[in-house]
Amino acid sequence: MASLLPLNRIASASAWRVLPNRWDFVAFPLIVGLLAMAAVGWRESMAPMSALQNEVISLAPANLPGYALRTTLRMLAAMAASLAFTLAYGTLAAKSRRAGMLLVPALDILQSVPVLGFISFTVTFFLALFPSRVFGAELAAIFAIFTSQAWNMTFSFYQSLRTVPHDLDEVSRGFHLTGWQRFWKLEVPFSMPGLVWNMMMSMSGGWFFVVASEAITVGERTITLPGVGAYLARAIEERNLGAVGWVILTMIVVILAYDQLLFRPLVAWADKFRMETTSSGDAPQSWLLDLVRRTRLIHRLLAPVGWLLARVARVPLALPRRWLASATGARRATSSRTGDAVFGALVVALTLYLLWRVVDYVHAEITLGEVGRVFVLGLITLLRVAVLIAIASAVWVPLGVLIGLRPALAQKIQPLAQFLAAFPANLMFPVFVMVIVRFRLKADIWLSPLIVLGTQWYILFNVIAGASAYPNDYREAARNFRIRGWQWWRQVMLPGIFPYYVTGAITASGGAWNASIVSEFVQWGDTRIAAHGLGAYIAQTTSAGDYPKIILGIAVMSLFVTLFNRLLWRPLYAYAEGRLRAD
């Protein structure tokens, strides 16, 4: 009988470990709510297409919670797709020299090509996949939001892969990690702090495209998806300032919600991947992450998932031999120069073929004088973009470093920065139009701030990410050597955040080109104001339905963005990789 007592105690202790504690009862409703939200979204997506025709967007504020739920689900789905795209595309571009010759310039072009220019084609494609279900229209909306999220996340991940420190790479080789193991054990963790902040920026930047993605026009057919974007589009159409105010309030609530429930836990979790040997005295905190860690039953239920992911990361999967070399180290000479020359020739041939197709399409209706005029307009927009990016850099780099080096301050600023980044530029159109008309201001100057209003935050978020990831060891060394003032900026901080800044600047400039289409030609009701520039040209020709001129404008914009990146940002990238990497 006595021998059974220890067994009973062990059984009781095992049973006690699986019983929920008080933290489980707090976390469980959150999980159930998340699952219920996903179930509701799936049910609405699989409804017949006729359901949209019977549903009219109402400006009653009571409908906004339901609209906000639908919009949030679309943005989260687009975020998941963007993350998968980032890991695949960024890895291929960073690790394969030949693929990078094509993929990196393509990424430059993709972030500059206006989404509104090809959304009608993608809508037709997705609607054809599910012609009788709302799911096709939902996929089209998710894809439009995806195009606003994926590019800067991919640039961030690509930059991280290209700047992995030499010593960490040597350690991975010393442990004989395969390419698959090194990817999950070294490269993804190293990129995580910057990637999380860019995910935050992408989520906020997606609000601008929500308006276009939830009110879709295909020919003479208009499909309106219930959501905050459709609500805002109708409020602007009816010039209802009260409804616009309710949209702003809803955005604040939604941004605070996903800041607390998604991004703050991610920032606190990603802090463990910082490259340092001495811990920071003020690490970021998250009440939700602490709550999950204190649970008993939920923690045990999630443990098998963590174990499975860890096992997958340890699988000795052999990647292609040329990928076994680090993306930051010298490439293994496994491919012949003949192969590189053939691949380069194919890329040039493809580029020339696409150029010929564009010229063949537009030459019948467009004269050389029109082409020259469009190039002059492109130079005007280029000047605007360059000046605004320089001003934004001078403002946000010091502030980003100040915020990034103080996690407690970053947690307070984080929701405000997300809201400012998410604030759609078209909400400022009434103010700019009324002020310009009232005081007879010059549109070429006073419409310019709209170009950088939403894209400047790419610089701030990336600089915050760089400062947050800056090793505490280096900060302590600089403090011990009494490095201060301009010397501290020049020798310590600017080299540390420079790769992150270049990533933010390149995405900000690409986004500014895209934003020029809606910023150089604005309207509020019947009042229209246009500035001279390539963006206004594309907007006006799109409104007129002049497709040859639309294609000419988009082609010239893509050419300017590609040359701007090749001549400025890519050399800065190379400088960051070759001179400013941590060794």
Side-chain angles (χ1 to χ4, degrees):
M1 188 70 176
S3 61
L4 294 178
L5 291 177
L7 296 177
N8 291 335
R9 291 195 185 116
I10 294 175
S12 299
S14 300
W16 178 257
R17 282 197 296 268
V18 299
L19 290 177
N21 58 15
R22 64 181 184 274
W23 305 110
D24 286 289
F25 288 106
V26 177
F28 190 73
L30 295 175
I31 298 176
V32 172
L34 179 63
L35 295 177
M37 185 175 67
V40 170
W42 176 257
R43 184 193 64 189
E44 297 291 339
S45 298
M46 298 310 295
M49 185 64 72
S50 58
L52 291 181
Q53 300 174 356
N54 300 327
E55 186 172 356
V56 179
I57 300 298
S58 171
L59 295 184
N63 295 321
L64 273 173
Y67 292 160
L69 174 63
R70 297 286 293 274
T71 297
T72 302
L73 287 174
R74 294 183 191 113
M75 297 180 72
L76 290 175
M79 177 61 66
S82 300
L83 184 59
F85 176 87
T86 294
L87 296 177
Y89 195 103
T91 302
L92 186 59
K95 288 181 171 290
S96 174
R97 182 180 67 257
R98 292 180 182 176
M101 293 169 57
L102 180 63
L103 295 181
V104 176
L107 196 61
D108 293 337
I109 295 174
L110 285 172
Q111 70 160 341
S112 63
V113 173
V115 178
L116 305 182
F118 61 84
I119 190 174
S120 58
F121 302 104
T122 59
V123 168
T124 303
F125 171 76
F126 286 113
L127 289 179
L129 290 179
F130 303 93
S132 60
R133 298 289 177 183
V134 179
F135 192 57
E138 292 284 358
L139 287 179
I142 290 171
F143 178 79
I145 300 172
F146 162 86
T147 58
S148 68
Q149 295 179 344
W151 316 139
N152 68 298
M153 291 171 57
T154 305
F155 270 120
S156 173
F157 188 64
Y158 171 81
Q159 168 257 316
S160 297
L161 292 181
R162 300 284 294 183
T163 55
V164 173
H166 284 301
D167 52 356
L168 295 182
D169 182 61
E170 290 298 327
V171 170
S172 69
R173 293 177 182 277
F175 281 104
H176 303 287
L177 299 181
T178 65
W180 175 262
Q181 292 170 331
R182 181 163 54 245
F183 178 75
W184 291 110
K185 293 295 184 181
L186 170 60
E187 293 165 345
V188 171
F190 177 77
S191 67
M192 195 54 62
L195 184 59
V196 167
W197 278 94
N198 274 277
M199 289 171 61
M200 202 182 305
M201 176 65 217
S202 294
M203 192 73 167
S204 296
W207 283 97
F208 176 81
F209 291 90
V210 162
V211 179
S213 65
E214 292 181 350
I216 306 169
T217 301
V218 183
E220 298 180 355
R221 181 185 183 189
T222 300
I223 300 173
T224 303
L225 294 170
V228 176
Y231 185 98
L232 175 59
R234 185 169 181 185
I236 293 176
E237 181 182 354
E238 298 184 4
R239 304 180 67 172
N240 190 330
L241 291 178
V244 172
W246 282 112
V247 169
I248 295 174
L249 179 61
T250 303
M251 287 175 55
I252 293 174
V253 174
V254 173
I255 290 171
L256 287 175
Y258 66 63
D259 170 70
Q260 294 292 319
L261 301 178
L262 177 62
F263 290 119
R264 186 157 297 190
L266 284 177
V267 170
W269 171 75
D271 186 67
K272 67 181 181 179
F273 298 119
R274 292 178 58 187
M275 188 189 67
E276 60 187 12
T277 56
T278 61
S279 61
S280 174
D282 194 9
Q285 301 292 328
S286 167
W287 64 268
L288 181 61
L289 188 62
D290 294 337
L291 174 64
V292 174
R293 286 171 175 169
R294 291 171 181 171
T295 60
R296 182 183 296 139
L297 179 60
I298 294 177
H299 190 74
R300 291 183 67 85
L301 292 176
L302 294 178
V305 178
W307 177 85
L308 179 61
L309 293 177
R311 294 292 298 176
V312 170
R314 293 192 184 99
V315 173
L317 183 64
L319 295 178
R321 182 175 297 273
R322 65 180 180 274
W323 284 25
L324 295 180
S326 169
T328 62
R331 303 290 183 182
R332 297 173 64 95
T334 57
S335 59
S336 64
R337 293 184 178 180
T338 302
D340 291 344
V342 171
F343 183 81
L346 290 175
V347 173
V348 172
L350 177 62
T351 304
L352 292 176
Y353 171 76
L354 294 176
L355 180 62
W356 173 76
R357 293 293 297 177
V358 171
V359 173
D360 181 65
Y361 181 78
V362 304
H363 85 282
E365 302 184 25
I366 295 178
T367 63
L368 288 178
E370 181 71 13
V371 174
R373 174 171 168 265
V374 172
F375 269 91
V376 172
L377 293 176
L379 290 174
I380 295 174
T381 301
L382 171 64
L383 178 62
R384 282 199 186 98
V385 171
V387 170
L388 291 169
I389 293 298
I391 294 174
S393 300
V395 172
W396 295 118
V397 168
L399 290 177
V401 171
L402 175 68
I403 296 171
L405 293 181
R406 295 166 175 81
L409 178 61
Q411 288 194 22
K412 297 176 182 178
I413 296 294
Q414 186 174 314
L416 176 62
Q418 289 183 61
F419 172 74
L420 293 175
F423 197 84
N426 45 15
L427 289 180
M428 297 299 297
F429 289 175
V431 176
F432 276 76
V433 170
M434 289 186 289
V435 170
I436 290 174
V437 172
R438 172 67 176 80
F439 296 99
R440 298 181 181 180
L441 302 175
K442 191 173 181 60
D444 286 332
I445 297 176
W446 294 100
L447 284 181
S448 297
L450 290 174
I451 294 178
V452 78
L453 187 65
T455 62
Q456 62 183 332
W457 309 109
Y458 288 109
I459 297 176
L460 174 63
F461 276 63
N462 277 277
V463 171
I464 291 176
S468 300
Y470 193 80
N472 193 55
D473 308 352
Y474 296 171
R475 295 173 57 189
E476 293 292 339
R479 188 177 297 112
N480 292 336
F481 283 105
R482 301 183 184 278
I483 300 177
R484 300 186 181 91
W486 173 241
Q487 183 184 14
W488 181 83
W489 282 98
R490 183 170 57 87
Q491 296 182 349
V492 179
M493 186 49 58
L494 289 181
I497 65 169
F498 190 74
Y500 295 87
Y501 165 75
V502 174
T503 299
I506 195 173
T507 50
S509 62
W513 281 96
N514 209 331
S516 67
I517 298 173
V518 296
S519 301
E520 293 180 345
F521 181 74
V522 301
Q523 68 180 79
W524 176 245
D526 297 329
T527 305
R528 298 184 178 184
I529 298 177
H532 294 88
L534 185 56
Y537 178 86
I538 295 176
Q540 291 169 331
T541 54
T542 300
S543 177
D546 193 339
Y547 287 100
K549 291 184 179 180
I550 294 173
I551 293 177
L552 174 63
I554 292 175
V556 172
M557 179 174 286
S558 301
L559 178 62
F560 268 97
V561 173
T562 303
L563 292 177
F564 194 57
N565 290 345
R566 290 286 113 186
L567 298 178
L568 177 62
W569 300 123
R570 290 302 158 195
L572 292 179
Y573 250 136
Y575 177 77
E577 294 171 15
R579 298 288 301 276
L580 300 179
R581 288 172 52 203
D583 294 312

